[in-house]
Amino acid sequence: MTHRRIDDWCTLSGASVEIRQRGSIICSGIVDDVTDDGRVLWIHSTVEGRRLFEKADFYQAWADEERVGFHYKVTRAETNTLGQPGYGAQPEEYTHAASTAA
């Protein structure tokens, strides 16, 4: 399944995501909660329990699910000079809306 970096964390409540930092996967799980400003989110991982992540610490949320009504702003993953997807690249932004068909 293709993962896409999600810039607007406000839309991620309940989504299955990977948290990455500088190209490395740090944690994966379900987004338990997000602050109103979208700068902080909590992930519930079956392995690590509930964890907090802040955008200010260079964390990125990558979503792998498309579900009815799940709208989010994504960036197309590109590689930088280090060959790491999405980190340090100048992404092309577009809006993705999941199909409403069940």
Side-chain angles (χ1 to χ4, degrees):
M1 188 172 286
T2 302
H3 287 80
R4 297 171 189 236
R5 190 177 79 207
I6 310 302
D7 290 330
D8 184 7
W9 287 8
C10 292
T11 62
L12 289 175
S13 189
S16 174
V17 299
E18 286 182 348
I19 298 298
R20 299 182 188 183
Q21 187 179 48
R22 296 187 170 100
S24 297
I25 298 172
I26 305 299
C27 178
S28 63
I30 305 297
V31 177
D32 185 41
D33 203 2
V34 181
T35 57
D36 290 339
D37 62 8
R39 294 181 185 183
V40 178
L41 59 72
W42 288 263
I43 301 290
H44 179 74
S45 167
T46 55
V47 176
E48 302 176 67
R50 193 171 193 241
R51 291 185 60 188
L52 177 142
F53 296 95
E54 295 183 60
K55 277 188 178 181
D57 291 331
F58 304 104
Y59 289 110
Q60 299 174 334
W62 291 67
D64 66 351
E65 93 182 56
E66 294 182 19
R67 63 179 189 223
V68 175
F70 186 53
H71 298 273
Y72 49 85
K73 189 173 188 177
V74 299
T75 55
R76 186 179 67 197
E78 296 181 15
T79 57
N80 63 10
T81 57
L82 300 175
Q84 299 168 326
Y87 181 73
Q90 296 298 319
E92 174 184 326
E93 295 186 2
Y94 59 98
T95 302
H96 173 82
S99 170
T100 56

